[in-house]
Amino acid sequence: MQYIEHSIEGNWNTRTLQRNIDSQYLGRLLKFPEAENKHISNYIKDPYIFEFLGLPSDISQAETQIESALITHLQQFLMELGKGFAFVARQQHIVTDTSDFYIDLVFYNYFLKCFVLVDLKTHKLTHESIGQMDMYVRIYNDLKKEADDNPTIGIILCTEKDETVVKYSVMSENEKLFASKYRTYLPDEKELKNLIEADRVKFELDNQN
């Protein structure tokens, strides 16, 4: 029933509906969506599935190649991101008093009423990546966020996560920072179930209180 409701709301065609059922679209959300609940965890997935890019499954591409493919398939990428996402910029140039920075992908979510920064990595999550995204979010809040926008969200897309790195980094204390795995292929049912279950258990443990 949930898939039918989302299909109507998102104007999915039959092919998209079947793809989202096969990829456990709703099951991959950090928290299963509830009516009228607009918590951030209802909008963030782990893992993300990018099989529509048509890339090999060995993740051998450079970050710029995957980023370019995501922009080429922007409509499908936005569908995979979920409800309320609108594309803002690629490699957005941010200038501070002393430095220049380029943010991989920038979106706006009109349900959450905030900017969403996406940093794409073709390797395992590192503390350097987390520190970089934390800095990007702080800079964006300072230079780009308007008074009526909610605080910016940062998502690091990586091939694997090291939970020790997550636990002992600023990510453990900042509910606006997320790290999600991605796959450039649709995993089989067993692999997908294991990927979802591992992160669902971790998310629930981290949010007991």
Side-chain angles (χ1 to χ4, degrees), residues 16-147:
T16 300
L17 174 60
Q18 188 59 56
R19 180 265 179 191
N20 288 342
I21 291 173
D22 292 342
S23 69
Q24 299 187 42
Y25 178 96
L26 296 180
R28 290 185 284 116
L29 292 167
L30 290 182
K31 188 174 182 182
F32 200 80
E34 301 169 359
E36 304 304 319
N37 189 331
K38 292 186 179 180
H39 192 274
I40 296 172
S41 56
N42 294 146
Y43 294 81
I44 308 295
K45 295 191 184 76
D46 195 4
Y48 287 88
I49 307 298
F50 301 145
E51 91 292 346
F52 52 83
L53 301 181
L55 297 173
S57 60
D58 59 4
I59 315 294
S60 60
Q61 294 75 32
E63 291 169 8
T64 53
Q65 290 177 298
I66 298 177
E67 182 184 308
S68 294
L70 288 172
I71 295 301
T72 299
H73 298 83
L74 184 58
Q75 183 176 357
Q76 289 142 300
F77 184 28
L78 288 171
M79 185 74 69
E80 171 64 8
L81 285 176
K83 292 174 57 176
F85 284 89
F87 178 66
V88 175
R90 174 190 182 188
Q91 291 295 318
Q92 187 171 34
H93 187 197
I94 304 294
V95 181
T96 67
D97 291 338
T98 59
S99 302
D100 289 59
F101 302 96
Y102 292 86
I103 301 173
D104 285 352
L105 299 165
V106 180
F107 298 87
Y108 193 87
N109 188 288
Y110 57 82
F111 285 115
L112 297 174
K113 299 189 183 304
C114 69
F115 289 99
V116 180
L117 313 183
V118 175
D119 198 16
L120 181 65
K121 301 297 181 184
T122 55
H123 52 68
K124 190 175 183 178
L125 181 69
T126 65
H127 63 86
E128 290 91 352
S129 299
I130 296 172
Q132 181 185 53
M133 178 54 83
D134 180 53
M135 179 183 67
Y136 285 168
V137 166
R138 293 171 187 268
I139 291 173
Y140 218 88
N141 282 334
D142 187 40
L143 300 181
K144 294 293 185 180
K145 185 180 80 66
E146 299 292 342

Side-chain angles (χ1 to χ4, degrees), residues 187-205:
D188 61 34
E189 185 176 354
K190 182 178 179 181
E191 180 185 357
L192 189 54
K193 182 178 179 180
N194 289 339
L195 286 168
I196 293 171
E197 186 61 24
D199 285 284
R200 180 64 57 81
V201 170
K202 176 69 170 55
F203 179 79
E204 290 177 353
L205 288 174

